[in-house]
Amino acid sequence: MSAALDNERAGQVRAGLRRLRDLDRETLEAFYVQGQSLVEMSDAFHSPIGTIKRRLHVARKRLARELEELAPV
């Protein structure tokens, strides 16, 4: 049963990510999926580390909103 719930939640997260803007999705995927460090992301996105931290914070909030909208009532 737990595996089924995990699979459902993973599907919801993927759907939520698809609904985000490209920069939000790319930022979250770089950090959480690809495991890039803040320094690596700073280099890849050509942005200061502080900007990367802010983008992660904002992108997480946006993803949370999308997941709330996708959650079954």
Side-chain angles (χ1 to χ4, degrees):
M1 183 72 160
S2 178
L5 292 175
D6 289 345
N7 286 338
E8 182 179 341
R9 188 64 175 163
Q12 290 174 336
V13 170
R14 283 190 297 274
L17 284 169
R18 283 192 299 271
R19 294 173 61 163
L20 294 176
R21 297 179 330 178
D22 289 343
L23 185 58
D24 289 338
R25 182 177 51 259
E26 290 166 6
T27 301
L28 290 173
E29 288 177 346
F31 190 74
Y32 290 105
V33 177
Q34 299 168 11
Q36 291 183 10
S37 69
L38 295 174
V39 172
E40 291 169 326
M41 291 175 66
S42 175
D43 291 341
F45 287 101
H46 307 290
S47 299
I49 290 176
T51 300
I52 299 301
K53 288 180 179 181
R54 180 184 51 76
R55 286 182 187 168
L56 280 168
H57 176 75
V58 170
R60 282 190 294 262
K61 287 181 119 178
R62 289 179 177 152
L63 178 58
R65 278 196 301 267
E66 292 298 333
L67 293 177
E68 285 176 7
E69 291 179 19
L70 290 172
V73 179

